[in-house]
Amino acid sequence: MKLKELENLIQSGVDNGAFPGATFAIVFKDQIYTGCVGNKALYPIVEPNDVDTIYDMASVTKVMATSSCILKLIELGKIRLFTKVSDVIPEFIHKDLTVWNLVTHTTGLVECVPNHANIKDSAEIWEKVMNAEKPFETNKEIKYSDLNFILLGEIVKRVSGKPLDQFVKDEIFDKIEMFDTCFNPQDIERCAPTEERNDLVVQGIVRGKVHDETAYTLGGVSGHAGLFSTAKDTAKFIQMILNDGMYNGTQVFPKCIIDMMYTPLVKQQVGLSVLPLQRSVGWIIKDYNPASGDLVSNETIQHTGFTGTNIWIDRVNEVGFCLLSNRVHPTRKNLKHMELRPKVANYLIANLESIKEEIKNAN
């Protein structure tokens, strides 16, 4: 049974210490399969995992929430990719940067807020973002920066008139029936704990609060991190994209917006590799050494999260996948998940028809 072998491969991540546990979803246009392995918590006590565990999505927030909101604002005629950031946020010092630069990570801004783990005051965070250093030249390289998406989250708030968490709920998540997906979840016991922090802001294991230190100080809602979700909800989001913006009879996005997710905006060559680094509106398109493996089609969008989450959606093979874990529990000193992710994706694509038939028969 190929499906069982796939589950065994994910279970090997638990056995090898890549993560305490994980939930996953295999998604087709017309069916979804979810499963789980391991435990959702190891400390202070062991707690078994289940498919309804809520995970800290970390940087997957950037695409599921923030990029989706930016695309919605483009659809509504509120902004365009070449809107200047300072036209929306006048206090931002870099007057040449655009929304296009933010979504493609071509601003040249620093990777993160300096000393963010020890900043207690959100006003200090905003001051550093508004006056951020730009050590790299704009439009020369893809340089990943959390600040890009912190700024995008603020743009969503100022243009829509609603905080990011409310706008994405109203315009996207509720329409996809993603009722377990939110910022600042209330059902703490369902949340998988993340890392043990011992800094000036937090002491102890973080649970039900965002793991990212900057987002934590910003109150749990930020464009770069803070979203929590389940494999079931993430699967619905993937299914909407596979169906060109349609979910359960509701057109969440027009097809032209879904097309934008798959359209490269920037490319950067990596040595002799045929596949460059490439990005669309926030999404990574299959590139050199992708987390989505070697066998997905070149029309695959993807993103990963620091806590141990990842999502990819292959338009040609008409399949999507998410693997949600808390690999940072109880410490971030573990990178074994990075090798496992593409292996799982390779096995799924190599055995796609058999797995799809098994899921169909199981349903």
Side-chain angles (χ1 to χ4, degrees):
M1 300 287 283
K2 301 298 184 181
L3 182 57
K4 182 61 178 175
E5 287 302 313
L6 179 71
E7 292 177 338
N8 289 343
L9 188 55
I10 298 171
Q11 175 64 41
S12 73
V14 176
D15 299 338
N16 296 332
F19 37 69
T23 59
F24 64 93
I26 304 166
V27 186
F28 301 101
K29 285 186 171 183
D30 58 352
Q31 57 187 349
I32 292 171
Y33 180 87
T34 58
C36 72
V37 297
N39 299 297
K40 69 179 178 185
L42 299 178
Y43 303 99
I45 61 171
V46 174
E47 298 176 44
N49 208 6
D50 62 68
V51 292
D52 292 315
T53 296
I54 298 171
Y55 280 92
D56 181 337
M57 301 297 285
S59 283
V60 176
T61 301
K62 291 180 171 73
V63 288
M64 282 181 62
T66 312
S67 291
S68 294
C69 289
I70 291 297
L71 288 166
K72 179 59 68 174
L73 291 175
I74 290 172
E75 174 197 337
L76 295 173
K78 301 293 187 180
I79 61 170
R80 60 188 300 253
L81 285 177
F82 295 95
T83 296
K84 286 191 174 182
V85 178
S86 60
D87 285 348
V88 182
I89 310 175
E91 61 269 39
F92 183 59
I93 65 169
H94 299 291
K95 305 302 180 183
D96 59 325
L97 300 183
T98 65
V99 171
W100 185 92
N101 293 128
L102 298 179
V103 298
T104 58
H105 290 289
T106 56
T107 59
L109 293 173
V110 291
E111 183 178 0
C112 59
V113 175
N115 195 35
H116 55 278
N118 292 308
I119 299 176
K120 298 180 179 181
D121 184 1
S122 62
E124 184 178 347
I125 294 284
W126 282 115
E127 189 277 331
K128 290 181 180 294
V129 171
M130 292 302 106
N131 298 282
E133 293 183 10
K134 192 161 74 73
F136 307 103
E137 190 174 349
T138 300
N139 291 333
K140 289 297 183 182
E141 294 181 87
I142 299 170
K143 290 287 187 181
Y144 189 85
S145 172
D146 282 342
L147 275 68
N148 294 330
F149 275 75
I150 294 172
L151 288 162
L152 287 169
E154 184 66 10
I155 287 172
V156 171
K157 178 181 178 180
R158 297 197 188 192
V159 173
S160 73
K162 295 180 180 180
L164 173 67
D165 56 338
Q166 189 63 51
F167 185 74
V168 73
K169 179 180 185 296
D170 293 345
E171 296 292 334
I172 298 161
F173 295 157
D174 281 357
K175 294 178 180 179
I176 313 176
E177 301 171 1
M178 296 171 63
F179 301 129
D180 283 327
T181 302
C182 64
F183 294 79
N184 290 319
Q186 298 302 303
D187 197 343
I188 304 301
E189 293 306 309
R190 285 181 58 196
C191 296
T194 52
E195 193 170 17
E196 182 176 9
R197 285 182 63 178
N198 288 290
D199 50 52
L200 296 180
V201 180
V202 178
Q203 295 79 43
I205 292 175
V206 178
R207 183 170 192 168
K209 299 289 186 181
V210 61
H211 172 265
D212 180 89
E213 295 93 341
T214 301
Y216 188 101
T217 301
L218 290 174
V221 181
S222 182
H224 74 296
L227 190 68
F228 286 73
S229 190
T230 63
K232 289 180 178 179
D233 270 12
T234 304
K236 294 175 183 178
F237 182 83
I238 292 170
Q239 195 169 60
M240 178 272 294
I241 292 176
L242 286 173
N243 284 291
D244 290 332
M246 180 74 74
Y247 180 80
N248 199 22
T250 298
Q251 194 74 49
V252 182
F253 287 110
K255 182 178 180 296
C256 60
I257 292 294
I258 303 300
D259 290 341
M260 281 189 73
M261 297 180 184
Y262 286 88
T263 302
L265 297 178
V266 290
K267 295 184 179 183
Q268 181 177 318
Q269 198 63 38
V270 182
L272 296 175
S273 174
V274 172
L275 282 177
L277 301 178
Q278 50 185 346
R279 290 183 178 271
S280 63
V281 181
W283 289 92
I284 301 167
I285 300 175
K286 185 185 178 183
D287 60 1
Y288 173 78
N289 193 20
S292 55
D294 313 297
L295 302 180
V296 294
S297 79
N298 288 348
E299 289 188 51
T300 299
I301 55 176
Q302 60 190 348
H303 213 284
T304 60
F306 187 82
T307 51
T309 56
N310 79 294
I311 177 175
W312 55 262
I313 312 167
D314 185 334
R315 204 176 198 183
V316 172
N317 287 306
E318 297 183 340
V319 63
F321 181 79
C322 68
L323 180 66
L324 311 185
S325 81
N326 53 338
R327 68 95 190 169
V328 294
H329 178 65
T331 173
R332 68 181 65 193
K333 296 178 180 179
N334 170 26
L335 299 176
K336 295 179 181 179
H337 67 296
M338 296 181 70
E339 180 65 17
L340 180 63
R341 287 187 306 215
K343 290 178 179 177
V344 171
N346 283 347
Y347 189 90
L348 174 56
I349 294 296
N351 298 280
L352 188 60
E353 292 308 313
S354 296
I355 290 173
K356 187 175 184 178
E357 188 65 24
E358 288 180 40
I359 292 172
K360 181 179 179 180
N361 292 337
N363 292 336

